[in-house]
Amino acid sequence: SVDIKMWFENGTGLSIKENRYLKMPQLPYNIFIDDTYTRGADKKNNIIEHNLTIEHYSENIDLKEEKKIEDFFDNEEIKYKKSREWLDDEEMWMTIFELDTFLEKRKEGK
């Protein structure tokens, strides 16, 4: 199974956590949401579709850290959509990277 946390941290040098933090960390920080769909053939669920979203939160627009993320995706040849919005209540920027769906094939017995 793909370890999204290790894959992202090794590729960018930035830390990341899945879904949310119980207590908001110091800015900037990253989270990921990995929605999966499992399917297969011959009564075997051996293909996992990953719909991965990376969210980068920062006090100011953080082009330096965003570039690390973009360079990593470019080097991995991963297509993505990027959007940014100001979160009024939290007084911070959120940059969202929506990655194209990618497939993971499970080996038998896993």
Side-chain angles (χ1 to χ4, degrees):
S1 157
V2 174
D3 184 337
I4 303 292
K5 180 175 171 38
M6 185 170 38
W7 169 77
F8 181 86
E9 290 180 349
N10 289 343
T12 64
L14 304 172
S15 63
I16 195 165
K17 205 166 175 185
E18 187 169 6
N19 290 334
R20 65 186 180 98
Y21 285 88
L22 295 176
K23 182 179 170 191
M24 194 166 85
Q26 186 175 352
L27 295 170
Y29 66 91
N30 303 289
I31 67 165
F32 71 91
I33 301 156
D34 184 20
D35 291 325
T36 60
Y37 172 67
T38 305
R39 60 185 171 87
D42 300 326
K43 298 183 182 180
K44 294 179 184 171
N45 278 335
N46 62 346
I47 297 172
I48 304 169
E49 290 183 24
H50 291 269
N51 293 298
L52 185 62
T53 303
I54 309 281
E55 297 176 358
H56 176 77
Y57 295 88
S58 56
E59 188 174 2
N60 300 303
I61 295 174
D62 192 342
L63 298 178
K64 184 177 174 187
E65 289 210 353
E66 286 181 19
K67 178 133 177 55
K68 288 180 185 178
I69 296 169
E70 292 168 4
D71 287 349
F72 171 57
F73 294 156
D74 291 345
N75 289 336
E76 294 283 310
E77 298 179 1
I78 296 170
K79 294 178 181 159
Y80 62 91
K81 176 185 169 196
K82 176 182 169 182
S83 59
R84 182 184 294 126
E85 63 183 87
W86 173 252
L87 304 176
D88 237 7
D89 291 343
E90 291 86 4
E91 296 184 354
M92 67 174 100
W93 289 98
M94 176 177 65
T95 304
I96 302 167
F97 297 89
E98 295 175 75
L99 282 60
D100 273 8
T101 299
F102 66 92
L103 299 179
E104 173 187 358
K105 187 166 182 178
R106 285 188 192 162
K107 295 186 170 127
E108 284 198 42
K110 297 282 176 173

